[in-house]
């Protein structure tokens, strides 16, 4: 049975797939290098237009790749598009910040990102996307608490107290998430 199974598989399929993936990566690096070399000369409107065009395309591809839960057709296609969409949302926040010189810190961008992508994260079926969202949210939440005017006297920029509070924050968010969304991704990730 093993011999017939191995004979039925096309030979060299992994080599062809590997070469195609390598080619796509090399072309992608070339495009990124070309854009980076001419970044200053590209008008801001073109940067934003291309960015929002890619964002809309990724959102459309994510919605189109959605399959019902009982379907086993391409189980990771939706998760891949969802992850690309979420990462591109964060990159868009960075691009807008760079174009309009808003400044800000990483934890502020991650907090905004975690707020605007929460509902999209609920659609994930695998644990990786909710876990990534949860890690970004907890990081931004802790640093937001540290920089908060009202909590700064309480925390006094003491990392030990913040790290000791993180399990309590996770437990509280697990209970809150379980009441709001049930046993979906964020609940499992907070747990």
């Amino acid at each position: 049975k093993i011999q017939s199974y191995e004979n039925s598989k096309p030979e060299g399929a992994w080599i062809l797939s590997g070469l195609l993936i390598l080619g796509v990566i090399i072309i992608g690096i070339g495009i990124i290098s070309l854009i980076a070399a001419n970044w200053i000369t590209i008008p801001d409107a073109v940067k934003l237009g291309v960015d929002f065009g890619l964002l809309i395309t990724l959102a459309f591809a994510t919605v189109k790749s959605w399959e019902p839960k009982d379907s086993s057709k391409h189980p990771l296609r939706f998760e891949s598009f969802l992850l690309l969409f979420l990462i591109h949302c964060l990159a868009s926040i960075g691009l807008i910040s760079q174009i309009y010189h808003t400044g800000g810190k990483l934890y502020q961008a991650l907090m905004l990102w975690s707020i605007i992508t929460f509902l999209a994260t609920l659609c994930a079926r695998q644990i990786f996307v909710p876990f990534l969202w949860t890690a970004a949210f907890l990081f931004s939440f802790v640093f937001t608490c540290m920089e908060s005017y009202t909590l700064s006297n309480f925390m006094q920029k003491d990392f030990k107290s913040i790290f000791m509070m993180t399990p309590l924050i996770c437990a509280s968010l697990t209970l809150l998430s379980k009441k709001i969304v049930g046993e979906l991704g964020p609940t499992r990730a907070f747990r």
Side-chain angles (χ1 to χ4, degrees):
K1 288 183 177 182
I2 294 173
Q3 184 68 27
S4 64
Y5 172 77
E6 289 296 326
N7 289 337
S8 68
K9 289 174 45 177
E11 289 186 32
W14 65 272
I15 295 174
L16 180 61
S17 298
L19 288 175
L20 286 174
I21 291 170
L22 182 64
V24 167
I25 290 172
I26 290 171
I27 290 171
I29 289 173
I31 291 171
I32 291 171
S33 299
L34 183 66
I35 292 171
N38 298 308
W39 187 252
I40 295 175
T41 60
I42 299 173
D44 292 341
V46 172
K47 292 177 191 175
L48 287 174
V50 169
D51 179 60
F52 286 127
L54 283 171
L55 197 61
I56 290 169
T57 303
L58 279 172
F60 183 74
T62 304
V63 169
K64 282 303 240 183
S65 66
W66 174 261
E67 296 286 337
K69 275 191 176 182
D70 55 347
S71 175
S72 62
K73 280 177 38 181
H74 310 292
L76 294 179
R77 181 184 294 169
F78 173 73
E79 299 291 325
S80 301
F81 278 124
L82 181 62
L83 182 62
L84 281 173
F85 175 73
L86 295 177
I87 290 171
H88 193 78
C89 286
L90 184 59
S92 297
I93 292 170
L95 177 66
I96 291 168
S97 175
Q98 183 261 333
I99 287 176
Y100 291 106
H101 306 289
T102 59
K105 297 179 180 162
L106 175 63
Y107 74 88
Q108 293 168 332
L110 286 174
M111 182 57 84
L112 175 64
W113 175 80
S114 62
I115 290 169
I116 65 175
T117 60
F118 176 70
L119 292 177
T121 305
L122 293 179
C123 298
R125 293 193 187 114
Q126 305 294 323
I127 192 67
F128 182 73
V129 170
F131 185 75
L132 179 72
W133 182 91
T134 303
F137 175 74
L138 286 175
F139 173 82
S140 61
F141 182 76
V142 166
F143 278 91
T144 300
C145 289
M146 283 177 51
E147 298 293 325
S148 169
Y149 179 74
T150 56
L151 296 176
S152 63
N153 291 334
F154 172 69
M155 296 200 181
Q156 298 174 355
K157 305 225 186 243
D158 183 19
F159 286 109
K160 287 186 260 178
S161 64
I162 293 170
F163 287 124
M164 290 171 60
M165 282 181 23
T166 304
L168 177 63
I169 292 169
C170 285
S172 301
L173 290 173
T174 299
L175 293 174
L176 181 67
S177 178
K178 190 173 183 177
K179 282 191 177 278
I180 295 173
V181 298
E183 286 293 326
L184 292 175
T187 305
R188 294 183 349 211
F190 282 130
R191 188 176 300 137

